[in-house]
Coordinates of all heavy atoms in Angstrom, one line a residue:
M2 N 16.0 -5.7 -12.1 CA 14.7 -6.2 -11.5 C 14.1 -5.1 -10.6 O 12.9 -4.9 -10.7 CB 15.1 -7.5 -10.7 CG 13.9 -8.1 -10.0 SD 12.8 -8.8 -11.2 CE 11.9 -9.9 -10.2
K3 N 14.9 -4.5 -9.8 CA 14.4 -3.4 -8.9 C 13.8 -2.3 -9.7 O 12.7 -1.8 -9.3 CB 15.6 -2.9 -8.1 CG 15.1 -1.8 -7.1 CD 16.4 -1.3 -6.4 CE 16.0 0.0 -5.6 NZ 17.2 0.6 -5.0
N4 N 14.4 -1.9 -10.8 CA 13.8 -0.8 -11.6 C 12.5 -1.2 -12.2 O 11.6 -0.4 -12.3 CB 14.8 -0.3 -12.6 CG 16.0 0.4 -12.0 OD1 15.9 1.0 -11.0 ND2 17.0 0.5 -12.8
L5 N 12.4 -2.5 -12.6 CA 11.1 -2.9 -13.2 C 10.0 -3.0 -12.2 O 8.9 -2.5 -12.4 CB 11.3 -4.4 -13.7 CG 10.1 -5.1 -14.3 CD1 9.5 -4.3 -15.5 CD2 10.4 -6.5 -14.7
L6 N 10.3 -3.4 -10.9 CA 9.3 -3.4 -9.9 C 8.8 -2.0 -9.5 O 7.7 -1.8 -9.3 CB 9.9 -4.1 -8.6 CG 10.1 -5.6 -8.8 CD1 10.8 -6.2 -7.5 CD2 8.8 -6.3 -9.1
L7 N 9.8 -1.0 -9.5 CA 9.4 0.4 -9.2 C 8.5 0.9 -10.3 O 7.6 1.6 -10.1 CB 10.6 1.2 -9.0 CG 11.4 0.9 -7.7 CD1 12.7 1.8 -7.7 CD2 10.6 1.2 -6.5
F8 N 8.9 0.5 -11.6 CA 8.1 0.9 -12.7 C 6.7 0.4 -12.6 O 5.7 1.1 -12.9 CB 8.8 0.5 -14.1 CG 8.0 0.7 -15.2 CD1 7.9 2.0 -15.8 CD2 7.3 -0.4 -15.9 CE1 7.1 2.2 -17.0 CE2 6.6 -0.2 -17.0 CZ 6.5 1.1 -17.6
L9 N 6.6 -0.9 -12.3 CA 5.3 -1.5 -12.2 C 4.4 -0.9 -11.1 O 3.2 -0.7 -11.2 CB 5.4 -3.0 -12.0 CG 5.9 -3.8 -13.2 CD1 6.2 -5.2 -12.9 CD2 5.0 -3.6 -14.4
L10 N 5.1 -0.5 -10.0 CA 4.4 0.1 -8.9 C 3.9 1.5 -9.3 O 2.7 1.8 -9.1 CB 5.4 0.3 -7.7 CG 4.8 1.0 -6.5 CD1 3.6 0.3 -5.9 CD2 5.9 1.1 -5.4
A11 N 4.7 2.2 -10.0 CA 4.2 3.5 -10.5 C 3.1 3.4 -11.5 O 2.1 4.2 -11.5 CB 5.4 4.3 -11.2
C12 N 3.1 2.4 -12.4 CA 2.1 2.1 -13.3 C 0.8 1.8 -12.6 O -0.3 2.2 -13.0 CB 2.5 1.0 -14.3 SG 3.7 1.4 -15.5
S13 N 0.9 1.0 -11.5 CA -0.3 0.6 -10.8 C -0.9 1.8 -10.1 O -2.2 1.9 -10.0 CB 0.1 -0.4 -9.7 OG 0.5 -1.6 -10.4
L14 N -0.1 2.7 -9.6 CA -0.6 3.9 -8.9 C -1.3 4.8 -10.0 O -2.4 5.4 -9.8 CB 0.5 4.7 -8.3 CG 1.0 4.0 -7.0 CD1 2.3 4.8 -6.5 CD2 0.0 4.1 -5.9
G15 N -0.7 4.9 -11.2 CA -1.4 5.6 -12.3 C -2.7 5.0 -12.7 O -3.6 5.7 -12.9
A16 N -2.7 3.7 -12.8 CA -4.0 3.0 -13.2 C -5.0 3.2 -12.1 O -6.2 3.5 -12.4 CB -3.7 1.5 -13.3
A17 N -4.7 3.2 -10.8 CA -5.6 3.4 -9.8 C -6.2 4.9 -9.8 O -7.3 5.1 -9.7 CB -5.0 3.2 -8.4
A18 N -5.3 5.8 -10.1 CA -5.7 7.2 -10.3 C -6.7 7.3 -11.4 O -7.6 8.1 -11.3 CB -4.5 8.1 -10.5
A19 N -6.4 6.7 -12.5 CA -7.3 6.7 -13.7 C -8.7 6.1 -13.3 O -9.7 6.7 -13.7 CB -6.7 6.0 -14.9
A20 N -8.7 5.0 -12.6 CA -9.9 4.4 -12.2 C -10.7 5.3 -11.3 O -11.9 5.2 -11.2 CB -9.6 3.0 -11.5
L21 N -10.0 6.2 -10.6 CA -10.7 7.1 -9.6 C -11.0 8.4 -10.3 O -11.3 9.4 -9.7 CB -9.9 7.3 -8.4 CG -9.7 6.1 -7.5 CD1 -8.6 6.3 -6.5 CD2 -11.0 5.8 -6.8
S22 N -10.9 8.5 -11.7 CA -11.1 9.7 -12.4 C -10.2 10.8 -12.0 O -10.6 12.0 -12.1 CB -12.6 10.1 -12.4 OG -13.4 9.1 -12.8
G23 N -9.1 10.5 -11.5 CA -8.1 11.5 -11.1 C -8.4 12.2 -9.8 O -7.7 13.1 -9.3
K24 N -9.5 11.7 -9.1 CA -9.9 12.3 -7.8 C -9.2 11.5 -6.7 O -9.8 10.8 -5.9 CB -11.4 12.2 -7.7 CG -12.1 13.0 -8.7 CD -13.6 12.8 -8.6 CE -14.3 13.6 -9.7 NZ -15.6 13.2 -9.9
V25 N -7.9 11.8 -6.6 CA -7.0 11.2 -5.6 C -6.6 12.3 -4.6 O -6.0 13.3 -4.9 CB -5.8 10.5 -6.2 CG1 -5.0 9.8 -5.1 CG2 -6.2 9.5 -7.3
Q26 N -6.9 12.0 -3.3 CA -6.5 13.0 -2.3 C -5.1 12.9 -1.8 O -4.4 13.8 -1.5 CB -7.5 13.0 -1.1 CG -8.9 13.4 -1.5 CD -9.8 13.3 -0.3 OE1 -9.5 12.7 0.8 NE2 -11.0 13.8 -0.5
A27 N -4.6 11.6 -1.8 CA -3.3 11.4 -1.3 C -2.8 9.9 -1.7 O -3.7 9.1 -1.9 CB -3.1 11.5 0.2
I28 N -1.5 9.7 -1.8 CA -1.0 8.4 -2.0 C -0.3 8.1 -0.7 O 0.6 8.8 -0.2 CB 0.1 8.4 -3.2 CG1 -0.7 8.7 -4.5 CG2 0.8 7.1 -3.2 CD1 0.3 9.0 -5.6
L29 N -0.7 7.0 0.0 CA -0.2 6.7 1.3 C 0.7 5.5 1.2 O 0.3 4.4 0.7 CB -1.4 6.3 2.3 CG -2.5 7.4 2.4 CD1 -3.5 6.9 3.3 CD2 -1.9 8.7 2.9
L30 N 1.9 5.7 1.8 CA 2.8 4.6 1.8 C 3.0 4.2 3.3 O 3.3 5.0 4.1 CB 4.2 5.0 1.2 CG 4.2 5.4 -0.2 CD1 5.6 5.9 -0.6 CD2 3.7 4.4 -1.1
T31 N 2.7 2.9 3.5 CA 2.7 2.4 4.9 C 3.6 1.1 5.0 O 4.1 0.6 4.0 CB 1.3 2.1 5.4 OG1 0.8 1.0 4.6 CG2 0.4 3.3 5.3
G32 N 3.7 0.6 6.2 CA 4.4 -0.6 6.4 C 5.9 -0.5 6.2 O 6.5 0.6 6.2
G33 N 6.6 -1.6 5.9 CA 8.0 -1.6 5.8 C 8.5 -0.8 4.6 O 9.6 -0.3 4.6
I34 N 7.7 -0.7 3.5 CA 8.2 0.0 2.3 C 8.4 1.5 2.6 O 9.2 2.2 2.0 CB 7.1 -0.2 1.2 CG1 7.8 0.3 -0.1 CG2 5.9 0.6 1.4 CD1 7.0 -0.1 -1.3
A35 N 7.7 2.0 3.7 CA 7.8 3.4 4.0 C 9.2 3.8 4.6 O 9.6 4.9 4.6 CB 6.7 3.8 5.0
Y36 N 9.9 2.7 5.0 CA 11.3 3.0 5.5 C 12.3 2.9 4.4 O 13.5 3.3 4.6 CB 11.7 1.8 6.5 CG 10.9 1.8 7.8 CD1 10.0 0.9 8.1 CD2 11.2 2.8 8.7 CE1 9.3 0.8 9.3 CE2 10.5 2.8 9.9 CZ 9.6 1.8 10.2 OH 8.9 1.9 11.4
N37 N 11.9 2.6 3.2 CA 12.9 2.5 2.1 C 12.9 3.8 1.4 O 12.1 4.1 0.5 CB 12.5 1.3 1.1 CG 13.5 1.0 0.1 OD1 14.2 1.9 -0.4 ND2 13.6 -0.3 -0.2
E38 N 13.8 4.7 1.7 CA 13.9 6.0 1.2 C 14.0 6.1 -0.3 O 13.4 6.9 -1.0 CB 15.0 6.8 1.9 CG 14.9 8.3 1.6 CD 13.5 8.9 2.0 OE1 12.9 8.6 3.0 OE2 13.0 9.7 1.2
P39 N 14.8 5.2 -1.0 CA 14.9 5.3 -2.5 C 13.5 5.0 -3.1 O 13.2 5.6 -4.1 CB 15.9 4.2 -2.8 CG 16.7 4.1 -1.6 CD 15.9 4.4 -0.5
V40 N 12.7 4.1 -2.5 CA 11.4 3.8 -3.1 C 10.4 4.9 -2.9 O 9.8 5.3 -3.8 CB 10.9 2.5 -2.5 CG1 9.4 2.3 -2.9 CG2 11.6 1.3 -2.8
V41 N 10.5 5.5 -1.7 CA 9.7 6.7 -1.4 C 10.0 7.8 -2.4 O 9.1 8.5 -2.9 CB 9.8 7.1 0.1 CG1 9.1 8.4 0.3 CG2 9.3 6.0 1.0
A42 N 11.3 8.1 -2.6 CA 11.8 9.1 -3.5 C 11.3 8.9 -4.9 O 10.8 9.8 -5.6 CB 13.3 9.3 -3.4
Y43 N 11.4 7.6 -5.3 CA 10.9 7.3 -6.7 C 9.4 7.5 -6.9 O 9.0 8.1 -7.9 CB 11.2 5.8 -7.0 CG 10.9 5.3 -8.4 CD1 11.8 5.4 -9.4 CD2 9.6 4.9 -8.7 CE1 11.5 5.0 -10.7 CE2 9.3 4.4 -10.0 CZ 10.2 4.5 -10.9 OH 9.9 4.1 -12.2
I44 N 8.6 7.1 -5.9 CA 7.2 7.3 -6.0 C 6.8 8.8 -5.9 O 6.0 9.3 -6.7 CB 6.5 6.6 -4.8 CG1 6.7 5.1 -4.9 CG2 5.0 6.9 -4.8 CD1 6.2 4.5 -6.2
R45 N 7.5 9.6 -5.1 CA 7.3 11.0 -5.1 C 7.6 11.6 -6.4 O 6.9 12.5 -6.9 CB 8.2 11.6 -4.0 CG 7.5 11.5 -2.6 CD 8.1 12.4 -1.6 NE 7.3 12.4 -0.4 CZ 7.7 12.2 0.8 NH1 9.0 12.0 1.0 NH2 6.9 12.1 1.8
E46 N 8.7 11.2 -7.0 CA 9.2 11.8 -8.3 C 8.3 11.4 -9.4 O 7.9 12.3 -10.3 CB 10.6 11.3 -8.6 CG 11.2 11.8 -9.9 CD 12.5 11.3 -10.2 OE1 13.2 10.8 -9.3 OE2 13.0 11.4 -11.4
H47 N 7.8 10.2 -9.5 CA 7.1 9.7 -10.6 C 5.5 9.8 -10.4 O 4.8 9.8 -11.4 CB 7.4 8.3 -11.0 CG 8.8 8.2 -11.5 ND1 9.9 8.1 -10.7 CD2 9.2 8.2 -12.8 CE1 11.0 8.0 -11.5 NE2 10.6 8.0 -12.8
C48 N 5.1 9.9 -9.2 CA 3.6 9.9 -9.0 C 3.1 11.1 -8.2 O 1.9 11.2 -7.9 CB 3.2 8.6 -8.3 SG 3.6 7.1 -9.2
G49 N 4.1 11.9 -7.7 CA 3.7 13.1 -6.9 C 2.7 14.1 -7.6 O 2.0 14.8 -6.9
F50 N 2.7 14.0 -8.9 CA 1.8 14.9 -9.6 C 0.3 14.5 -9.5 O -0.6 15.3 -9.7 CB 2.2 15.0 -11.1 CG 1.9 13.8 -11.9 CD1 0.7 13.6 -12.6 CD2 2.8 12.7 -11.9 CE1 0.4 12.4 -13.3 CE2 2.6 11.5 -12.6 CZ 1.3 11.4 -13.3
I51 N 0.1 13.2 -9.2 CA -1.3 12.7 -9.1 C -1.9 13.3 -7.8 O -3.0 13.7 -7.7 CB -1.2 11.1 -9.0 CG1 -0.7 10.6 -10.3 CG2 -2.6 10.6 -8.7 CD1 -0.4 9.1 -10.3
A52 N -1.1 13.2 -6.7 CA -1.6 13.6 -5.3 C -0.4 13.7 -4.4 O 0.7 13.1 -4.7 CB -2.6 12.7 -4.8
P53 N -0.5 14.4 -3.3 CA 0.7 14.4 -2.4 C 1.0 12.9 -1.9 O 0.0 12.1 -1.7 CB 0.2 15.2 -1.2 CG -1.0 16.0 -1.7 CD -1.6 15.2 -2.8
V54 N 2.2 12.6 -1.7 CA 2.6 11.3 -1.2 C 2.9 11.5 0.3 O 3.8 12.3 0.7 CB 3.9 10.8 -1.9 CG1 4.4 9.5 -1.4 CG2 3.6 10.7 -3.4
E55 N 2.2 10.7 1.1 CA 2.3 10.7 2.5 C 2.9 9.4 3.0 O 2.6 8.4 2.5 CB 1.0 11.0 3.2 CG 0.3 12.2 2.8 CD 1.0 13.5 3.3 OE1 1.8 13.4 4.3 OE2 0.8 14.6 2.6
V56 N 3.8 9.5 4.0 CA 4.6 8.3 4.4 C 4.2 8.1 5.9 O 4.4 9.0 6.7 CB 6.0 8.5 4.2 CG1 6.8 7.2 4.7 CG2 6.4 8.7 2.7
Y57 N 3.8 6.9 6.2 CA 3.5 6.4 7.6 C 4.2 5.1 7.9 O 3.6 4.1 7.7 CB 1.9 6.3 7.8 CG 1.2 7.6 7.6 CD1 0.6 7.9 6.4 CD2 1.0 8.4 8.6 CE1 -0.1 9.1 6.2 CE2 0.3 9.6 8.5 CZ -0.2 9.9 7.2 OH -0.9 11.1 7.1
P58 N 5.5 5.2 8.3 CA 6.2 4.0 8.5 C 5.6 3.2 9.7 O 5.0 3.8 10.6 CB 7.6 4.5 8.9 CG 7.6 5.9 9.0 CD 6.2 6.4 8.6
G59 N 5.8 1.9 9.7 CA 5.3 1.1 10.7 C 5.0 -0.3 10.2 O 4.7 -0.5 9.0
E60 N 5.2 -1.3 11.0 CA 5.0 -2.7 10.5 C 4.0 -3.3 11.3 O 4.4 -4.2 12.2 CB 6.4 -3.4 10.5 CG 7.4 -2.7 9.6 CD 8.8 -3.4 9.6 OE1 8.9 -4.5 10.0 OE2 9.7 -2.7 9.2
N61 N 2.8 -3.0 11.2 CA 1.7 -3.6 11.9 C 0.9 -4.6 11.1 O -0.2 -5.0 11.5 CB 0.8 -2.4 12.4 CG 1.5 -1.5 13.3 OD1 2.3 -1.8 14.1 ND2 1.2 -0.2 13.2
E62 N 1.4 -5.0 9.9 CA 0.7 -5.9 9.1 C 0.4 -7.2 9.8 O -0.7 -7.8 9.8 CB 1.4 -6.2 7.7 CG 1.5 -4.9 6.9 CD 2.9 -4.2 7.1 OE1 3.6 -4.5 8.2 OE2 3.3 -3.4 6.3
L63 N 1.4 -7.8 10.4 CA 1.3 -9.1 11.1 C 0.4 -9.0 12.3 O -0.4 -9.9 12.5 CB 2.7 -9.6 11.5 CG 3.6 -10.0 10.4 CD1 4.9 -10.5 10.9 CD2 3.0 -11.1 9.6
E64 N 0.4 -7.9 12.9 CA -0.5 -7.7 14.1 C -1.9 -7.7 13.6 O -2.8 -8.3 14.2 CB -0.2 -6.4 14.8 CG -1.1 -6.1 16.1 CD -0.7 -4.8 16.8 OE1 0.4 -4.2 16.5 OE2 -1.5 -4.4 17.5
A65 N -2.2 -7.0 12.5 CA -3.5 -6.9 12.0 C -4.0 -8.3 11.5 O -5.2 -8.6 11.7 CB -3.6 -5.9 10.8
L66 N -3.1 -9.1 11.0 CA -3.4 -10.4 10.5 C -3.8 -11.3 11.7 O -4.8 -12.0 11.7 CB -2.3 -11.1 9.7 CG -2.1 -10.6 8.3 CD1 -0.8 -11.1 7.7 CD2 -3.3 -10.9 7.4
V67 N -3.1 -11.2 12.8 CA -3.3 -12.0 14.0 C -4.7 -11.6 14.6 O -5.5 -12.4 15.0 CB -2.2 -11.8 15.0 CG1 -2.6 -12.3 16.4 CG2 -0.9 -12.5 14.5
I68 N -4.9 -10.3 14.7 CA -6.2 -9.8 15.3 C -7.4 -10.3 14.5 O -8.4 -10.8 15.1 CB -6.2 -8.3 15.4 CG1 -5.2 -7.8 16.5 CG2 -7.6 -7.7 15.7 CD1 -4.9 -6.3 16.4
N69 N -7.3 -10.3 13.2 CA -8.4 -10.7 12.4 C -8.5 -12.3 12.4 O -9.6 -12.8 12.4 CB -8.3 -10.2 11.0 CG -8.7 -8.7 10.9 OD1 -9.8 -8.4 11.0 ND2 -7.7 -7.9 10.7
A70 N -7.4 -13.0 12.5 CA -7.5 -14.4 12.6 C -8.2 -14.8 13.9 O -9.0 -15.7 14.0 CB -6.1 -15.0 12.6
L71 N -7.8 -14.1 15.0 CA -8.5 -14.4 16.3 C -10.0 -14.1 16.3 O -10.8 -14.9 16.9 CB -7.8 -13.5 17.4 CG -6.4 -14.0 17.9 CD1 -5.8 -13.0 18.8 CD2 -6.5 -15.4 18.5
V72 N -10.4 -13.1 15.6 CA -11.8 -12.8 15.5 C -12.6 -14.0 14.8 O -13.6 -14.4 15.2 CB -12.1 -11.5 14.8 CG1 -13.5 -11.3 14.4 CG2 -11.5 -10.3 15.6
V73 N -11.9 -14.5 13.8 CA -12.5 -15.6 13.1 C -12.5 -16.9 14.0 O -13.5 -17.6 14.1 CB -11.8 -15.9 11.8 CG1 -12.3 -17.2 11.1 CG2 -12.1 -14.7 10.8
L74 N -11.4 -17.2 14.6 CA -11.2 -18.3 15.4 C -12.2 -18.3 16.6 O -12.7 -19.4 17.0 CB -9.8 -18.5 15.9 CG -8.8 -18.9 14.8 CD1 -7.4 -18.8 15.4 CD2 -9.1 -20.3 14.2
R75 N -12.5 -17.2 17.1 CA -13.4 -17.0 18.3 C -14.9 -17.1 17.8 O -15.8 -17.0 18.7 CB -13.1 -15.7 19.0 CG -11.8 -15.8 19.8 CD -11.5 -14.5 20.5 NE -10.2 -14.7 21.2 CZ -9.4 -13.7 21.4 NH1 -9.7 -12.5 21.1 NH2 -8.3 -13.9 22.1
G76 N -15.1 -17.1 16.5 CA -16.5 -17.2 16.0 C -17.2 -15.9 16.0 O -18.4 -15.8 15.7
T77 N -16.5 -14.7 16.2 CA -17.2 -13.4 16.2 C -17.5 -13.1 14.7 O -18.6 -12.4 14.5 CB -16.2 -12.3 16.7 OG1 -15.8 -12.8 18.0 CG2 -16.9 -11.0 16.8
V78 N -16.7 -13.4 13.8 CA -17.0 -13.2 12.4 C -16.8 -14.5 11.6 O -15.9 -15.3 11.9 CB -15.9 -12.2 11.9 CG1 -16.0 -12.0 10.3 CG2 -16.1 -10.8 12.5
T79 N -17.7 -14.7 10.7 CA -17.6 -15.9 9.8 C -16.8 -15.5 8.6 O -17.0 -14.5 7.9 CB -19.1 -16.3 9.3 OG1 -19.9 -16.5 10.5 CG2 -19.0 -17.5 8.5
P80 N -15.8 -16.3 8.3 CA -14.9 -16.0 7.2 C -15.7 -16.2 5.8 O -16.6 -17.0 5.7 CB -13.8 -17.0 7.3 CG -14.3 -18.1 8.1 CD -15.4 -17.5 9.0
K81 N -15.3 -15.4 4.9 CA -15.9 -15.5 3.5 C -15.1 -16.5 2.7 O -13.9 -16.6 2.8 CB -16.0 -14.2 2.8 CG -16.8 -13.1 3.5 CD -16.8 -11.8 2.8 CE -17.7 -10.8 3.5 NZ -17.7 -9.5 2.9
V82 N -15.8 -17.3 1.9 CA -15.1 -18.2 1.1 C -15.3 -17.7 -0.4 O -16.5 -17.6 -0.9 CB -15.8 -19.6 1.2 CG1 -15.1 -20.6 0.2 CG2 -15.6 -20.1 2.7
Y83 N -14.2 -17.5 -1.1 CA -14.2 -17.0 -2.4 C -14.0 -18.1 -3.4 O -13.1 -18.9 -3.2 CB -13.2 -15.9 -2.6 CG -13.5 -14.7 -1.8 CD1 -12.9 -14.5 -0.5 CD2 -14.4 -13.7 -2.2 CE1 -13.1 -13.4 0.2 CE2 -14.6 -12.6 -1.4 CZ -14.0 -12.4 -0.2 OH -14.2 -11.3 0.5
K84 N -14.8 -18.3 -4.4 CA -14.7 -19.4 -5.3 C -14.4 -18.8 -6.8 O -14.9 -17.8 -7.1 CB -15.9 -20.3 -5.4 CG -16.0 -21.0 -4.0 CD -17.2 -21.9 -4.0 CE -17.4 -22.5 -2.7 NZ -18.5 -23.5 -2.7

């Protein structure tokens, strides 16, 4: 299962690179995944030819969700409804 997920991740990065006509300046890995050295190594090995792989560890995803939820709750921003 783990190998399949890594394969699908690499495929997604390749698809994104193709959609950008190969004009990719960097592949950025952030959040909790950036702490997983085997995953980072796999991405570097399989996708490093597309662009340099840069790693920015940190887990600020929940903080970002809270900040944006507060902006909506305070009425500063109207949430979009997708149908």
